[in-house]
Amino acid sequence: MSSSETAQAAADTSDPRAGLRAVASLRGLTDTLELKQVEAALRAGMTWQQIADHLGVSRQAVHKKYAKRVDQTIPVPRRRT
């Protein structure tokens, strides 16, 4: 099933079981895509604060979610004091 078909299934409320499965599938895809973008942002030299600002969350939230999941070979900019 394509992403657009999955999104259509998630929006269709006539079969909640299928809709919930589709939502779970989209959540997994979104998590994968978000991790790839966070890694790309770190490679581009963005800070955790900049990434958080673009995601609309706190620096602490994005760091907690991704600090141990990102590719450990990526040099992560340190916070300025």
Side-chain angles (χ1 to χ4, degrees), residues 8-9 11 16 22-23 26 29 43 47 55 58-59 64 70 81:
Q8 287 177 337
V23 167
L26 289 170
L29 176 60
R43 283 188 184 97
T47 65
L55 290 174
S58 70
R59 180 189 58 79
K64 180 178 178 179
V70 296
T81 53

Side-chain angles (χ1 to χ4, degrees), residues 20-64:
L20 291 169
R21 282 191 303 272
V23 167
S25 178
L26 289 170
R27 186 178 298 124
L29 176 60
T30 300
D31 286 344
T32 299
L33 293 173
E34 189 173 272
L35 173 59
K36 289 181 182 292
Q37 291 298 338
V38 168
E39 289 178 334
L42 290 169
R43 283 188 184 97
M46 291 176 69
T47 65
W48 288 113
Q49 184 62 60
Q50 291 169 322
I51 295 167
D53 290 344
H54 286 281
L55 290 174
V57 297
S58 70
R59 180 189 58 79
Q60 293 85 351
V62 77
H63 185 267
K64 180 178 178 179

Side-chain angles (χ1 to χ4, degrees), residues 1-10 22:
M1 186 181 295
S2 73
S3 296
S4 61
E5 291 171 330
T6 304
Q8 287 177 337

